[in-house]
Amino acid sequence: MGEEEGVTLEYTPTWVVAGVCTVIVAISLAAERVLHYTGVTLKRKHQKPLFEALQKVKEELMLLGFISLLLTVFQNVINKICVPADVTRHMLPCKLEKGHEFEKSATCSKNKVPLLSTEALHHLHIFIFVLAIVHVTFCVLTVVFGGLRIRQWKRWEDEIAKNNYDSRNVPKSKTVTDVHQHAFIKEHFQGLGKNSVLLGWLYSFVKQFYGSVTKSDYTTLRLGFIMTHCRSNPKFNFHKYMIRALEDDFKKVVGISWYLWIFVVIFLLLNVNGWHTYFWIAFLPFVLLLAVGTKLEHVISQLANDVAEKHVAIEGELVVQPSDEHFWLGRPRIVLFLIHFILFQNSFEIAFFFWIWVQYGFDSCIMGQVRYIVPRLIIGVFIQVLCSSSTLPLYAIVTQMGTSYKKAIFDEHVQVGLVGWAQKAKKKKGFRAAGNGSGQGSSHESTSTGIQLGSAFRKASTPEEIQPASVSENSK
């Protein structure tokens, strides 16, 4: 270890210490203020899901800070852990050249080396930080560009509201039509046949690359959702609900869950010279993304097939029946889990590439050969573009075709009003129970309150169905 590397604060000029501290503190405070004012803005605009996503980002930054603290505090302890030199000559990311000497610690005995050098620990520290930043950035970009695509559907929502309902909310007259004459059925059923399973999956695979959601898709799925979950409110703004549901899911995607950290550890373990793990593993999110997009398109086709097989002619508009049975294992949430993993794994690939490039150089042995690098980058860009332009919009609308609806069906202030109502009812129950000294009345009131709340949640599809006065009173 060189003499300059061993200089402590005792012999460091005070202007250097003060200057470095000033820069670090200034950058930290600036970042904190940006996050704070972003949160204030989101709350002022009543963007609760995005605000919660921002809180999730803060949690990830706090976790990174804790990891950084642990690596710094235990740096000397790790350096003092010594192992036989032969153990460290296996499963290396780069081929060990002849004459290469491992760094030896002053405290090591003969033929022993440190478990992890100071420099390697520092590089690992930087990689973890880069990974988290890239993941958050990619998630934000995906949701932003995907959201722009979804917001283009608003014109369809406005057109439906304008064409189908007048100021008195009088629906159009119903006519009996051949079910196969509907555009939705023509696109997803005719030409495929009932038994052409392979052809149907092939159609779903191809459709995700062009016009993943057409006007007939949106119109039909929207009507199916409304007729299933809020039949009493035909003016329900499905597009607004869908945007709120997507924002609510975004806060889950932006985080790095424990199982994703396990994936990072496994990849670092398998990054052995000659295995080209970084190349082969790039195909994992690629294949998963295509599978998710195909499945979501196939759900739409299944809805069309169900109607076409059961009806020859229908009266009025075409109505599909949402069901969890169309999704993997009957759970639409699995799609969100896969998208979360795809975005993280793609972020990991890109972060690892740039970390190696900046830290060791493009010609580093750990970077690999160009013939493996270029396809890897192309796949990463392709995943990001396809997920933003097709898969995420598909997820936003198709996962609404499950048996249940999401809590985003209620506007934020309606949720607050109902929660306030529940809290008031609970307080009244407590007062009456204390006054009567009997548990029977309390039990009866609790059951009654639960029934009323459940009824309110089932009926209140939009804020218009609850009187503003009652909402205002309950939210105080």
Side-chain angles (χ1 to χ4, degrees), residues 413-433:
H413 66 277
V414 176
Q415 295 183 37
V416 173
L418 291 176
V419 171
W421 178 25
Q423 292 175 346
K424 276 193 171 184
K426 188 175 181 180
K427 289 181 179 179
K428 288 181 180 179
K429 178 196 69 175
F431 290 147
R432 291 178 181 176

Side-chain angles (χ1 to χ4, degrees), residues 353 356-358 360-365 367-370 373-374 377:
F353 168 78
I356 294 296
W357 190 6
V358 174
Y360 302 104
F362 191 83
D363 297 328
S364 171
C365 59
M367 177 70 78
Q369 302 175 9
V370 176
I373 298 174
V374 174
L377 293 178

Side-chain angles (χ1 to χ4, degrees), residues 189-205:
F189 183 79
Q190 286 189 351
L192 297 181
K194 294 195 300 182
N195 300 321
S196 302
V197 177
L198 181 60
L199 190 59
W201 280 102
L202 181 61
Y203 169 80
S204 299
F205 173 79

Side-chain angles (χ1 to χ4, degrees), residues 213-234:
V213 178
T214 62
K215 182 179 180 180
S216 63
D217 293 341
Y218 180 85
T219 303
T220 306
L221 299 184
R222 171 190 179 276
L223 183 60
F225 178 90
I226 292 177
M227 297 302 292
T228 302
H229 299 301
C230 46
R231 184 186 294 266
S232 62
N233 183 28

Side-chain angles (χ1 to χ4, degrees), residues 304-360:
N305 290 338
D306 289 346
V307 176
E309 291 175 1
K310 294 178 182 178
H311 303 279
V312 176
I314 58 174
E315 181 182 5
E317 296 294 335
L318 182 69
V319 179
V320 296
Q321 182 62 45
S323 174
D324 287 346
E325 296 179 359
H326 297 308
F327 297 89
W328 284 311
L329 303 179
R331 300 180 63 185
R333 301 295 293 179
I334 291 180
V335 179
L336 179 64
F337 168 80
L338 292 176
I339 291 178
H340 189 189
F341 178 78
I342 289 168
L343 290 177
F344 175 79
Q345 207 281 330
N346 193 53
S347 302
F348 179 85
E349 285 283 317
I350 302 299
F352 191 77
F353 168 78
F354 283 105
W355 174 67
I356 294 296
W357 190 6
V358 174
Q359 196 70 61
Y360 302 104

